Amino acid sequence: METLRVVQLDAITLNDQLSSIMKGSWQEVLHSLPPRFESTLDRLSEEIHLLIDAVLWSSMISRNSTSGQAFLDISYGPSLSRERRISHFALSLLLPYLSRRLPSVVGDHSRSGLLLRRVSLFIEMLSLMHYLHFIRSGGYSNLSERITSLRTKYDHPPTIGSMNMDEQNRELLWNLFRDGLLLVSPLGAFLYRKYQRWERKRGERMESSGDTVGCTVCGTETGVIPMEMNPCKCVACYWCVNSGERDVCVVCEMKTEGSKPLEGRKMGLK
């Protein structure tokens, strides 16, 4: 049974994605190498990409299918001749590599380089026209399959009308998880508010439990940050200490060597 067009398109997409993942991993490895090795290997990027694509294509030898086709349980059939495999490799991998590499070897602006670019452009236009024909009528998904007469088939014919419940089970599990979060989130918010209120009351109790120290300079009862001056041990609020004369106690006018806050104490008149 020949495969549907959508399955063949999915196989092409999978092949491209696998190739992109492998090449992206190679780029990460390349950037982690010393600069001299990185520059050398960067000049061989086209050859390394060809090697990566060849490793992915090697499933044609063991399974008669590309890596993307193997994921979708389709292949070119159990009997695939050696000549067809070689032709498929040359048309799908080797020819695109040569079209990218040869112009830079012979010179981009030389007569041979311009000729190669025109040939590559003609092949690209032909591939585009063939792709549009495949979208409309089906058949061979690309030029290499048409030239080598390779048609994909199901390894195991699909059962028409069968229902796959995996997607529905995943949807049900997600809905159950979502509903559970909706039920638990109000309880979590309520407990968080309770915790904040308890922390606020605890802080007020700790603040009120400290000794009250009054400021004899401004006479405030609700000031904060009482400061103790050295060496006279006089206490005044932060604003009075910093608004007075530098290195002079604002209470006893004695020369000071600095001040420090009295932690855990609250300002208040005695």
Side-chain angles (χ1 to χ4, degrees):
M1 182 178 178
E2 295 185 358
T3 56
L4 300 175
R5 277 173 286 178
V6 64
V7 179
Q8 297 182 61
L9 290 174
D10 289 341
I12 294 174
T13 303
L14 281 173
N15 289 330
D16 295 338
Q17 291 295 327
L18 290 171
S19 178
S20 299
I21 291 172
M22 294 287 290
K23 292 173 183 177
S25 300
W26 164 249
Q27 289 298 324
E28 293 179 0
V29 173
L30 185 63
H31 293 328
S32 64
L33 295 176
R36 59 175 183 175
F37 293 108
E38 182 180 357
S39 60
T40 302
L41 293 175
D42 189 54
R43 290 194 292 269
L44 301 175
S45 59
E46 290 293 343
E47 286 72 19
I48 294 173
H49 290 174
L50 175 63
L51 179 61
I52 291 173
D53 291 333
V55 171
L56 293 174
W57 179 90
S58 62
S59 61
M60 284 284 293
I61 301 174
S62 58
R63 302 178 181 177
N64 294 336
S65 63
T66 63
S67 300
Q69 292 171 352
F71 279 110
L72 298 175
D73 199 24
I74 61 176
S75 65
Y76 292 117
S79 57
L80 188 63
S81 64
R82 181 180 179 183
E83 290 76 13
R84 283 189 173 184
R85 289 196 185 96
I86 296 175
S87 300
H88 186 272
F89 177 82
L91 292 172
S92 59
L93 297 183
L94 193 58
L95 186 61
Y97 161 74
L98 293 176
S99 66
R100 294 191 303 268
R101 175 56 80 182
L102 286 180
S104 61
V105 173
V106 300
D108 293 333
H109 301 289
S110 63
R111 181 175 300 179
S112 300
L114 293 175
L115 179 62
L116 288 172
R117 289 189 179 278
R118 290 175 182 175
V119 172
S120 299
L121 179 60
F122 174 75
I123 295 175
E124 290 292 336
M125 293 296 297
L126 192 62
S127 299
L128 177 60
M129 294 175 61
H130 182 274
Y131 182 74
L132 294 175
H133 173 73
F134 167 72
I135 294 297
R136 179 180 177 84
S137 305
Y140 300 100
S141 62
N142 50 52
L143 282 177
S144 61
E145 289 184 357
R146 179 171 290 277
I147 295 173
T148 55
S149 300
L150 292 175
R151 297 291 292 267
T152 55
K153 299 179 180 180
Y154 289 103
D155 291 336
H156 303 89
T159 302
I160 305 299
S162 62
M163 296 182 63
N164 188 354
M165 305 299 293
D166 293 339
E167 187 67 25
Q168 296 184 10
N169 290 335
R170 285 194 293 268
E171 189 69 20
L172 288 174
L173 287 174
W174 166 247
N175 290 334
L176 179 63
F177 178 70
R178 182 196 61 188
D179 295 341
L181 287 179
L182 292 176
L183 290 175
V184 172
S185 58
L187 177 61
F190 172 76
L191 294 175
Y192 181 69
R193 287 196 299 269
K194 285 290 186 182
Y195 172 76
Q196 284 185 323
R197 190 177 304 171
W198 176 77
E199 280 287 331
R200 193 182 304 114
K201 291 182 178 179
R202 179 171 172 269
E204 291 175 356
R205 288 196 301 268
M206 291 181 63
E207 184 180 358
S208 62
S209 63
D211 299 333
T212 58
V213 180
C215 179
T216 57
V217 179
C218 62
T220 182
E221 296 181 0
T222 58
V224 293
I225 316 179
M227 306 293 293
E228 182 182 59
M229 287 161 283
N230 295 319
C232 62
K233 302 299 182 182
C234 295
V235 178
C237 66
Y238 175 83
W239 306 110
C240 294
V241 171
N242 286 275
S243 61
E245 187 177 353
R246 185 179 180 85
D247 297 334
V248 176
C249 177
V250 295
V251 180
C252 64
E253 299 182 354
M254 180 179 175
K255 187 173 180 61
T256 62
E257 298 176 356
S259 59
K260 64 178 181 178
L262 294 176
E263 298 181 359
R265 296 197 175 188
K266 174 178 163 183
M267 293 297 298
L269 285 176
K270 292 184 179 180

